């Protein structure tokens, strides 16, 4: 019985863990805090698994629990640290629930994005790599490329915008 | 600020640049305007999409990164090559002299007798032939009970023989039962189709203690305590779904290896549940027998997920050999098939299983694949071309050496990056591939003999390098006493209060997290009993074994 529940839990968790990580990651920008929260949530999900109603979406349930954890973490931050308010967090969670990704739904977009990344000029690719590959903070990137914080931010924003449009085009082309 | 575009505010949040007043404004808009929340979701989700395609590089640079980083550190790892001590200076000879050697042999004989005759009565009764391809006494108990009497797992029935391999011409076929001298075979030279768990025979509780006593010197007890504490640490760190945090498949593989190294299986009282959940998780996480990223397999590039595939295969192959959980076999057949398909014609492996060695070959990636192949072979996995693949892997290792200095390089790119850690990878790999006595391994030994284990001055790769150096130096007994003193004191002194380890110093340049460092440290401290390799047993065996008696001093001729 026990191991039965664990098997079901494990299967569901595996299916949703990427998206759960993504959800937490989008709201919590600090890498270490993000990892801590993910671990806490993974523990709580199993502890509360017998309360989980399997007719519901596991993803939505997990995000609900993650939201609580995130709020607690934000509440512990110092007054001057920036954090999403509980109300804002709730509004964003609703949007994630509407989409309710699982591991499979990312694949097409990932492939499209990889195509788009290849089209970028070398310099732009380096910038993206510094941010997303090496996980550098913007200030560190600015140092690295001998530029200003503002210029790096603007360049990244432009790049992400371009990539987003490119992915949309690629996906449309695949579907057409 | 009121006029600032919402998407700009979101971008500033995602880039970590948002100011408190801007944050207040963003919070207000998100809470009151569904469009703002929708934008946030869209942009954050895309940010994560970019993150996810880069994740591979980011965290999966488990090992490679450190070597690359070392180039930036203003320090070059050159080794002062010195003449290696002549054979008489070798520890055994020096410590005990010829008389000691006799004593040692007598002790080993006792050990062997103990080990042979208390084991499987089927083979022991014959009195002569010991067919180590059968299950010997693997005491699968708990770390804390080490001193007490051991309850041995019952000998299981011999498995039905799988189909013979299509090609294994260079293998010596051993008769199953025949009178003759003690025969012990390495994973690479072994009668096909039988689980060869004899290489794990020192992992039983009694053997662990005996081996530590024999090879760890005055640190034996402290090491036992340290490993016990780290096992508790790892048990605590496991997540409920069976994985360990971080690069979960790779980390779970390393954690599983750490428990198996102590003879812990699902049957163990203290850690049985932990081990069982780890195995279950890895089984569930397989995608058609693959633990890397299937979309990138064969495409090369920066796909580091092949590391995870090799590490998980390595761990589950050991699990199969030690537990005989046959449900693992189909999975491992498939997993090894991917490894063979991913091997370059020259014998190496690269990121994303790039097939073209002229583009790049990677000794670090190859090191985990060699360990995995050896473990799979020991578990009785036999695929066509597997034997040839292991030979080619050995040839590849040799080709990565600078014959002048004896050092091995991390990859064949550029001028190469020759380090002690990479030399450890190659020499340990050669041992597993039954070329531990080759000229290449001997040249490597001269480099390894100069390696140091100093927490304030770690080599590139840190614990990764020490893991390999330790295994290679122990397998070849390369000035072992010297290394053991450095390694044991440093590792014991730097265990954290909570039982884990952290990477040494800043030279590492990356932090793969505490599970990574703790598992590597645990495996390193288990070197005394992790493997029972052919040459070691031959060296100790008082019985001549087929013409060749390996001598430690062979390294120095």
């Amino acid at each position: 019985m026990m191991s039965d529940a664990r098997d079901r839990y494990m299967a569901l968790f595996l299916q949703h863990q990427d998206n759960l990580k993504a959800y937490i990651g989008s709201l919590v920008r600090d890498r270490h805090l993000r990892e801590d929260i993910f671990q806490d949530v993974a523990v709580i999900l199993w502890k509360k698994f017998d309360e989980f109603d399997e007719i519901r979406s596991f993803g939505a349930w997990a995000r609900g629990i993650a939201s609580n954890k995130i709020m607690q973490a934000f509440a512990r931050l110092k007054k001057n640290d920036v954090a999403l308010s509980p109300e804002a967090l709730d509004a964003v969670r609703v949007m994630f629930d509407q989409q309710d990704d699982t591991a499979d739904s990312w694949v097409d977009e990932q492939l499209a994005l990889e195509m788009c990344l290849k089209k970028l000029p070398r310099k732009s690719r380096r910038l993206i790599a510094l941010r997303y590959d090496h996980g550098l903070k913007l200030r560190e990137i600015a140092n690295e490329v001998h530029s200003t914080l503002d210029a790096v931010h603007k360049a990244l924003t432009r790049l992400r915008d371009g990539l987003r449009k490119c992915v949309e085009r690629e996906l449309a082309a695949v579907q057409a | 600020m009121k006029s600032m575009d919402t998407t700009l505010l979101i971008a500033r949040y995602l880039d970590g640049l948002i100011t408190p007043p801007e944050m207040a404004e963003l919070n207000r808009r998100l809470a009151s305007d569904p469009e703002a929340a929708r934008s946030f979701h869209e942009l954050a989700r895309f940010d994560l999409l970019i993150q996810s395609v880069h994740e591979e590089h980011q965290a999966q640079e488990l090992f490679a990164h450190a070597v690359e980083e070392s180039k930036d550190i203003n320090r070059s790892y050159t080794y002062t090559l010195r003449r290696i001590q002549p054979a008489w200076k070798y520890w055994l000879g020096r410590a005990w002299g010829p008389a000691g050697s006799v004593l040692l042999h007598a002790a080993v004989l006792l050990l062997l007798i103990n080990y042979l005759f208390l084991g499987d009565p089927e083979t022991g009764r014959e009195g002569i032939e010991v067919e180590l391809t059968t299950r010997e006494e693997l005491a699968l108990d708990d770390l804390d009970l080490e001193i007490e009497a051991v309850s041995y797992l019952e000998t299981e029935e011999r498995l039905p023989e799988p189909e013979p391999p299509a090609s294994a011409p260079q293998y010596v076929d051993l008769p199953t039962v025949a009178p003759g001298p003690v025969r012990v075979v390495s994973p690479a030279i072994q009668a096909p189709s039988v689980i060869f768990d004899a290489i794990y025979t020192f992992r039983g509780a009694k053997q662990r203690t005996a081996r530590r006593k024999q090879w760890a010197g005055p640190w034996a007890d402290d090491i036992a305590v340290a490993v016990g504490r780290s096992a508790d640490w790892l048990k605590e760190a496991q997540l409920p779904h069976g994985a360990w945090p971080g690069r979960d498949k790779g980390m779970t593989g390393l954690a599983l290896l750490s428990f198996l190294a102590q003879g812990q299986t699902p049957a163990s009282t203290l850690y049985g549940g932990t081990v069982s959940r780890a195995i279950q998780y890895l089984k569930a996480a397989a995608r058609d027998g693959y633990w890397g990223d299937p979309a990138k397999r064969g495409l090369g590039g920066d796909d580091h997920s092949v590391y995870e595939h090799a590490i998980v295969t390595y761990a589950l192959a050991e699990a199969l050999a030690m537990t005989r959980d046959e449900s693992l076999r189909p999975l491992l057949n498939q997993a090894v098939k991917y490894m063979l398909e991913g091997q370059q014609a020259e014998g190496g492996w690269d990121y994303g299983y790039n097939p073209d060695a002229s583009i790049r070959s990677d000794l670090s990636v190859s090191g985990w694949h060699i360990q995995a192949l050896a473990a799979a072979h020991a578990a009785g996995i036999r695929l066509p071309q597997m034997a040839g693949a292991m030979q080619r892997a050995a040839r590849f290792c040799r080709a990565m050496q600078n014959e002048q200095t004896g050092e091995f390089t991390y990859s064949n790119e550029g001028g190469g990056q020759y380090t002690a850690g990479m030399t450890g990878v190659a020499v340990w790999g050669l041992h597993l591939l039954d070329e531990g006595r080759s000229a290449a391994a001997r040249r490597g030994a001269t480099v390894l003999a100069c390696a140091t284990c100093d927490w304030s001055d770690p080599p590139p790769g840190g614990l990764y390098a020490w893991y390999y150096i330790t295994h290679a130096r122990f397998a070849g007994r390369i000035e072992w006493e010297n290394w053991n003193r450095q390694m044991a004191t440093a590792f014991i002194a730097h265990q954290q209060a909570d039982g884990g380890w952290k990477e040494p110093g800043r030279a590492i340049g990356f932090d793969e997290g505490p599970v990574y460092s703790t598992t590597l440290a645990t495996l390193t401290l288990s070197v005394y009993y992790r493997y029972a390799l052919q040459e070691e047993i031959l060296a100790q065996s008082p019985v001549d074994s087929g013409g060749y008696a390996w001598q430690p001093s062979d390294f120095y001729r």
Side-chain angles (χ1 to χ4, degrees), chain B residues 133-134 159 190 193-197 320-321 324 326 329 378-380:
Chain B
T133 51
T134 63
L159 294 164
Q190 192 233 315
S193 72
V194 180
I195 289 188
F196 186 78
D197 57 9
L320 169 58
R324 311 230 165 169
E326 284 294 320
R329 189 177 298 279

Side-chain angles (χ1 to χ4, degrees), chain B residues 307-365:
Chain B
Y307 272 124
E308 287 194 278
H309 180 62
I311 289 172
V312 174
T313 305
Y314 183 10
L316 288 183
E318 284 200 356
L320 169 58
M322 290 176 65
T323 68
R324 311 230 165 169
D325 172 359
E326 284 294 320
S327 71
L328 293 169
R329 189 177 298 279
L331 208 54
L332 283 166
N333 276 329
Q334 190 59 39
V336 172
K337 189 166 152 269
Y338 288 129
M339 291 176 34
L340 299 184
E341 285 169 4
Q343 190 183 27
Q344 297 169 342
E346 290 76 2
W349 285 266
D350 191 21
Y351 300 147
Y353 289 145
N354 149 45
D356 186 352
S358 71
I359 295 173
R360 197 174 180 284
S361 298
D362 187 308
L363 181 56
S364 174
V365 172

Side-chain angles (χ1 to χ4, degrees), chain A residues 115-129:
Chain A
M115 300 276 286
C116 296
L117 282 169
K118 284 191 184 124
K119 292 181 196 163
L120 285 182
R122 207 183 162 76
K123 255 190 167 168
S124 307
R125 227 171 16 198
R126 168 135 196 268
L127 205 58
I128 292 277

Side-chain angles (χ1 to χ4, degrees), chain A:
Chain A
M1 190 62 210
M2 168 81 175
S3 105
D4 227 39
R6 200 183 274 277
D7 287 350
R8 271 182 293 137
Y9 170 75
M10 210 183 260
L12 284 166
F13 191 88
L14 272 172
Q15 207 185 342
H16 288 90
Q17 68 167 346
D18 288 347
N19 193 47
L20 182 62
K21 262 186 193 161
Y23 174 68
I24 297 169
S26 69
L27 302 169
V28 184
R29 304 307 290 173
D30 181 85
R31 218 173 121 184
H32 296 292
L33 187 58
R34 184 191 299 185
E35 186 63 33
D36 285 350
I37 291 176
F38 177 77
Q39 285 172 39
D40 285 353
V41 171
V43 171
I44 296 169
L45 287 175
W46 168 242
K47 279 194 188 145
K48 297 198 169 192
F49 189 57
D50 54 350
E51 296 168 21
F52 170 59
D53 175 0
E54 299 197 24
I55 302 163
R56 285 187 63 197
S57 148
F58 185 85
W61 181 62
R63 278 190 295 275
I65 288 174
S67 296
N68 286 335
K69 268 283 144 194
I70 294 169
M71 269 187 252
Q72 286 170 15
F74 281 169
R76 277 196 300 271
L77 291 178
K78 282 189 225 98
K79 216 172 173 191
N80 276 341
D81 285 341
V82 292
L84 290 166
S85 68
E87 295 78 16
L89 202 63
D90 243 15
V92 174
R93 183 174 52 77
V94 169
M95 295 300 156
F96 269 90
D97 284 351
Q98 280 174 14
Q99 179 111 11
D100 204 12
D101 290 301
T102 56
D104 301 332
S105 51
W106 287 79
V107 175
D108 289 344
E109 282 165 280
Q110 281 173 331
L111 288 174
L113 178 60
E114 276 171 29
M115 300 276 286
C116 296
L117 282 169
K118 284 191 184 124
K119 292 181 196 163
L120 285 182
R122 207 183 162 76
K123 255 190 167 168
S124 307
R125 227 171 16 198
R126 168 135 196 268
L127 205 58
I128 292 277
L130 287 173
R131 175 80 178 124
Y132 293 96
D133 200 346
H134 301 274
L136 293 190
K137 296 203 168 92
L138 259 66
R139 193 170 302 284
E140 295 165 328
I141 299 176
N143 276 338
E144 185 78 19
V145 298
H146 306 293
S147 180
T148 66
L149 203 57
D150 199 45
V152 171
H153 174 59
K154 280 196 172 125
L156 274 174
T157 306
R158 261 203 317 277
L159 276 170
R160 281 184 297 233
D161 228 38
L163 284 171
R164 211 148 49 87
K165 284 180 183 132
C166 172
V167 166
E168 276 166 26
R169 270 201 309 277
E170 288 282 341
L171 287 177
V174 170
Q175 273 156 19

